[in-house]
Amino acid sequence: METDLKKRITLPNCPICGQLEDELFKLFSDLPQALSYDEKARENFAQEYGFCPFHTWQLAAFYSERGIAKGFPPLITALEKYLTDAVKNETLKKQGTTLLTKSKDNCRVCRLLQSEEKDSIALLADYLKTPAGKAAYSESDGLCLQHLASLISVVKSDDIASMLLTHAIQHLLEITSDLITYDKKNEARQRHTCTKNEKNAPRRALNFIAGLKSISFIP
Ligand SMILES: [Zn+2]
Ligand SMILES: [Zn+2]
């Protein structure tokens, strides 16, 4: 994971978001196949009562309707059994809604990504203590503002926190300048003269402020 992160920091966008997106895509590229053809995977999915709403829809985006028809029946049966039991049981009736309302605490994908996020931020905090880490970070796009806040809370160094904030300010200024130029060139029907950074400026602004869309569920 350490090597992945060092490579990630040289690529566009927030390296923590990138790392989490890789994990997410790895899981979702294998899971539809498993849910369609592996009975044990289907049973596990049923026993955990599926995923949170955000990850259920993300899974569906990787899935065909035939795949859902194959993979979901045990989950639906488990949900139906849970509700049937709840009808006869006062305690279950009261707790039922909390269990069925899936959240980050009882969604496997949320938990996996939160753990990966915590580990990656700790690794990056260590890397930033080295000259090589500082140099790599200053050359990078830096962390999105969501992950920047988490990183600053674990670096425990005023100097590194100041470096991270100064880098973020610089990056915001660059994006703002590219957004303004992008808009002006579009207004003058000169879009074809935009540089690559100017063309990507709206997406870069969103990625930097909110983090990558695929993992933007993390509170
Ligand atoms: Zn991020
Ligand atoms: Zn989730």
Side-chain angles (χ1 to χ4, degrees):
M1 192 164 80
E2 198 175 336
T3 326
D4 290 349
L5 195 65
K6 285 181 183 169
K7 189 174 162 220
R8 270 268 153 228
I9 209 168
T10 66
L11 302 175
N13 294 319
C14 168
I16 305 293
C17 280
Q19 187 92 353
L20 296 182
E21 192 172 65
D22 278 358
E23 286 297 314
L24 187 75
F25 288 171
K26 215 187 295 168
L27 179 79
F28 282 147
S29 63
D30 294 340
L31 198 61
Q33 177 82 359
L35 287 178
S36 293
Y37 298 106
D38 179 348
E39 199 172 332
K40 186 145 177 41
R42 270 198 297 267
E43 279 308 317
N44 286 342
F45 187 58
Q47 275 166 22
E48 63 192 335
Y49 298 111
F51 299 155
C52 72
F54 185 87
H55 288 126
T56 302
W57 282 110
Q58 261 191 343
L59 172 65
F62 283 78
Y63 228 161
S64 67
E65 293 194 339
R66 280 286 308 281
I68 292 173
K70 274 185 197 295
F72 272 53
L75 168 65
I76 310 281
T77 305
L79 290 168
E80 182 257 312
K81 182 174 180 321
Y82 187 86
L83 295 181
T84 305
D85 290 347
V87 173
K88 301 172 231 150
N89 181 318
E90 283 305 313
T91 316
L92 258 186
K93 220 183 280 186
K94 284 184 195 134
Q95 290 173 348
T97 49
T98 51
L99 181 70
L100 298 178
T101 309
K102 303 289 290 181
S103 68
K104 64 183 169 52
D105 298 321
N106 58 10
C107 167
R108 175 169 33 129
V109 189
C110 284
R111 284 204 310 265
L112 171 84
L113 295 179
Q114 280 170 334
S115 147
E116 178 77 24
E117 181 182 48
K118 197 165 160 242
D119 293 349
S120 301
I121 286 176
L123 274 178
L124 186 57
D126 280 346
Y127 189 39
L128 284 173
K129 289 177 193 156
T130 67
K134 287 189 180 77
Y137 194 91
S138 70
E139 290 296 309
S140 76
D141 282 351
L143 261 59
C144 69
L145 295 183
Q146 305 309 307
H147 285 130
L148 184 68
S150 309
L151 180 63
I152 286 174
S153 70
V154 300
V155 287
K156 295 186 177 66
S157 150
D158 259 9
D159 285 351
I160 297 177
S162 296
M163 181 202 95
L164 294 171
L165 290 169
T166 308
H167 183 279
I169 292 165
Q170 190 57 40
H171 198 59
L172 282 169
L173 290 172
E174 281 167 22
I175 290 177
T176 309
S177 161
D178 286 341
L179 280 172
I180 292 169
T181 312
Y182 172 84
D183 186 44
K184 279 187 180 155
K185 286 185 177 174
N186 272 276
E187 189 74 32
R189 299 181 189 280
Q190 294 291 315
R191 189 176 191 279
H192 59 282
T193 65
C194 282
T195 63
K196 192 175 166 205
N197 272 352
E198 288 162 3
K199 268 185 203 149
N200 294 337
R203 171 60 63 175
R204 284 165 55 225
L206 292 169
N207 286 345
F208 191 62
I209 293 167
L212 294 186
K213 189 179 176 187
S214 60
I215 55 132
S216 61
F217 69 96
I218 295 180

